[in-house]
């Protein structure tokens, strides 16, 4: 996230917190709101991050989940699923691996199933993690994502369906 976006988010959050504190100060609940505000993180509350971390661990370990269940949790379009996906990808260290090696390694953990939009969101998370682990391998996160999608399309053309047998 760029510094400008972080700054804007902090400014917006500060304004909301101040407004909430002022609105509830007459009711004597400022201490509760201040505590909640101090526990907030950029992507949600601390409890949301901890819950996402727990779910990500269970998904990675396939603890009461099937391989086909993982993508369903990573590809949803809501803030909690994004947190889960970020935490899930932290279990993968792609450092020093080529993009195709990383994709193979990643797709050994689960089956990429679901609608195209859900698959796309999973691939975005993968691309971000690959770039984080190999910042000098490809010029940008967008470049990683474009190459990832191209490899997926070539694989689909080769096999006639989405089978990750790169």
């Amino acid at each position: 996230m760029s510094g400008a976006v972080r700054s804007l988010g902090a400014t917006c959050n500060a304004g909301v917190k101040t407004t909430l504190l002022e609105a509830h100060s007459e009711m004597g609940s400022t201490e509760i709101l201040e505590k909640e505000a101090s526990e907030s993180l950029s992507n949600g509350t601390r409890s949301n991050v901890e819950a996402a971390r727990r779910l990500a661990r269970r998904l990675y370990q396939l603890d009461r989940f099937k391989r086909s269940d993982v993508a369903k949790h990573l590809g949803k379009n809501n803030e909690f699923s994004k947190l889960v996906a970020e935490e899930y990808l932290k279990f993968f260290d792609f450092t020093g691996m080529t993009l195709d090696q990383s994709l193979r390694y990643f797709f050994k953990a689960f089956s990429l199933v679901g609608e195209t939009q859900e698959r796309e969101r999973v691939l975005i998370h993968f691309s971000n993690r690959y770039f984080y682990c190999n910042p000098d391998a490809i010029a940008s996160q967008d470049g990683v994502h474009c190459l990832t999608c191209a490899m997926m399309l070539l694989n689909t053309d080769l096999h006639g369906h989405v089978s990750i047998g790169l």
Side-chain angles (χ1 to χ4, degrees):
M1 179 184 307
S2 73
V5 173
R6 249 185 263 125
S7 176
L8 178 60
T11 303
C12 291
N13 286 339
V16 169
K17 290 173 193 169
T18 303
T19 303
L20 287 173
L21 288 174
E22 290 170 357
H24 288 82
S25 63
E26 296 172 5
M27 295 184 239
S29 60
T30 56
E31 296 82 14
I32 294 169
L33 289 171
E34 287 171 344
K35 182 179 180 214
E36 289 174 2
S38 68
E39 291 178 353
S40 291
L41 300 175
S42 62
N43 285 335
T45 64
R46 183 166 295 147
S47 61
N48 282 349
V49 173
E50 290 168 4
R53 202 171 282 143
R54 285 190 304 271
L55 179 56
R57 185 179 309 108
R58 288 186 52 222
L59 289 169
Y60 182 75
Q61 296 171 345
L62 296 176
D63 177 13
R64 294 182 277 166
F65 290 101
K66 295 183 287 186
R67 289 179 75 232
S68 59
D69 294 334
V70 176
K72 294 174 191 172
H73 289 280
L74 304 181
K76 292 179 184 173
N77 191 21
N78 61 55
E79 289 304 313
F80 183 71
S81 290
K82 289 176 185 176
L83 285 173
V84 171
E86 288 173 17
E87 293 299 323
Y88 181 82
L89 266 292
K90 289 179 183 177
F91 286 102
F92 295 89
D93 184 7
F94 303 125
T95 305
M97 298 172 74
T98 63
L99 187 58
D100 64 312
Q101 289 170 333
S102 299
L103 273 169
R104 285 188 195 107
Y105 175 54
F106 184 56
F107 287 124
K108 283 182 182 177
F110 70 98
S111 300
L112 185 61
V113 295
E115 296 178 17
T116 303
Q117 294 160 337
E118 293 168 340
R119 292 177 187 193
E120 173 72 10
R121 285 189 281 272
V122 172
L123 292 178
I124 289 170
H125 292 297
F126 165 81
S127 300
N128 291 340
R129 180 64 180 174
Y130 181 83
F131 184 77
Y132 175 83
C133 293
N134 298 288
D136 298 324
I138 300 173
S140 68
Q141 287 178 332
D142 287 339
V144 173
H145 186 65
C146 287
L147 287 172
T148 299
C149 290
M151 291 174 76
M152 295 296 293
L153 287 172
L154 288 171
N155 187 65
T156 301
D157 286 347
L158 179 64
H159 297 285
H161 56 36
V162 178
S163 167
I164 308 307
L166 298 173

